[in-house]
Amino acid sequence: MSGAIRAALLTADPRSKAMAAREVARNWRLGKLDFAFDVPMPDKPAWPAAPQLLDPRNMPRRGKGGSEKGRLALWHALAHIEFVAIDLALDMAGRFGGEMGKDFVDDFLAVAADEAMHFALLDRKLRKLSSHYGALPAHAGLWETAERTSHDVAARLAIVPMVLEARGLDVTPATLQRVESQGDKDGAKILGRILDDEIRHVAIGTKHFVAVCGKTGESPEKRWKSLVREHFRGGLKAPFNDSARNAAGLSRDFYAELAS
């Protein structure tokens, strides 16, 4: 099992990585992989030479997406998020699956397959626009949270699904409305699918985080706030999509106090 996950993480070509992630998830679901975690995960996944990865402070502003250049920048940024999300989900399953158990592996390999599908949809969207993933620079900081939380499953759950993916619940509806207003029905359909899946992903992360806290008798809300303060840089920014977050089991008791 862990060898197959490691191999997918070390696949650099974006399309091949997406296919590898879906194959690992499918083989696990079909019982073709044993529950064995005897191969360590890499410190970093393999990535292609392009896109150029920039510090977030040096990323060019993409505006509201009204121009052709702005629309390309939007879809490229989303494709990059989903590409890194494949690795985040694979690493979650491979790094912590042995200690967390079969249900955890089921969930996060399913998440990896979803992220791979999202990337494939966005990659195809870029190609329809006569571009491709790697044509523009991208955010270099998305993997940093994985590095900072590689030692602790509670910290990883608190930051990746319950902060980063939850942020997607906040910003995607407005992006979807903007894309719809531009008459891009195909783009709106893609974003609607991603939003629906991300609610489920946040719910998965929250469920396992609460379970970890239950084993130690800690308050999930207090533990989450402590971990976010320790491991997440930048603070949580309102406004929040409270209804989507609540549907994912992430109530305001978790995040309202930390909002900036």
Side-chain angles (χ1 to χ4, degrees), residues 12-42:
D13 177 73
R15 288 181 165 187
S16 298
K17 186 189 290 284
M19 288 189 291
R22 297 179 76 173
E23 183 178 11
V24 171
R26 182 172 56 251
N27 286 342
W28 169 253
R29 189 176 65 250
L30 294 175
K32 295 182 178 180
L33 296 172
D34 294 331
F35 185 84
F37 291 86
D38 50 356
V39 176
M41 294 301 102

Side-chain angles (χ1 to χ4, degrees), residues 90-110:
L90 288 172
D91 188 78
M92 184 82 85
R95 188 173 299 275
F96 303 112
E99 67 180 274
M100 292 295 291
K102 182 179 181 300
D103 288 347
F104 184 91
V105 177
D106 289 345
D107 282 342
F108 281 100
L109 286 185

